[in-house]
Amino acid sequence: MDLTGRVAVVIGATSGLGRTLASGLAAHGATVVPTGRRAEQLPCDVTSRESVDAFRDAVLARHGHVDILLNAAGQTLKCPAQDIAEGDWARIFDVSLTGTLRTCQSFYEPLKASGRGRVINIASLGSYLAFHQVAAYCAAKTGVLSLTRSLACEWAKDGISVNAIAPGIFPTDLNRKLIDGTPRGKELLMRTPMGRFGEPEELVGLAVLLASDGASYLTGQCIGVDGGYLASGVNS
């Protein structure tokens, strides 16, 4: 579980779960390069191939290698499916799914050169289930799950493990207004056997495992950290 000497790039680390995961990897010894569109240093816009490649080159110039890539950038939109504008649909896919592909492609060679490359994608409960009026987000995150599996199979020969984490309900700036004290939030709690929302720090242990030698034979998997949400049927 020791990440000393490894360089970890965390995409979407300026807020939310990405920020906590970046801090967690650093606490376990990794040299972490956090980035996002709002980053003061080494910014990266995952919707731009040029931005992603320039960021990669800057990381390599500064640190010489990359061992871990964690993709946490994402956007959501609450809107009835019949009313979603094509532009909004495309934007969510461009950030959450195509953006993940861009960063994985860009960092492929450094991760291969590492000899113990690790990719950790942030999927979602929406990768498995439909959530009311967030069809674009759920479809994009389903794509992230499928992409994780495909890359894991293709890149295993290159010494790169590719896995995903599917967080349960974790209040963040992205979703807080939808779940804090709302009927939606109450239903989500009712469907969660542990009866509470997650704390961001509760994702760190799994992220560190997936980034470490402890997961050397683990690839193509998506692990839920969800208080039992995906396992539950009737809770009362």
Side-chain angles (χ1 to χ4, degrees), residues 72-155:
Q75 290 187 357
T76 190
L77 172 69
K78 187 174 185 295
C79 178
Q82 68 270 20
D83 297 328
I84 297 173
E86 288 190 12
D88 289 333
W89 178 277
R91 172 175 51 81
I92 290 172
F93 266 71
D94 201 23
V95 173
S96 298
L97 179 55
T98 310
T100 297
L101 175 64
R102 287 190 187 99
T103 60
C104 287
Q105 288 178 327
S106 185
F107 281 91
Y108 166 74
E109 290 295 344
L111 291 168
K112 180 180 178 180
S114 165
R116 53 185 181 185
R118 301 285 189 269
V119 177
I120 305 168
N121 295 325
I122 301 302
S124 168
L125 297 183
S127 300
Y128 299 94
L129 304 170
F131 285 81
H132 188 57
Q133 295 187 345
V134 286
Y137 176 81
C138 290
K141 286 298 188 178
T142 299
V144 169
L145 173 56
S146 180
L147 178 64
T148 297
R149 292 168 172 160
S150 293
L151 294 182
C153 293
E154 290 190 29
W155 293 359

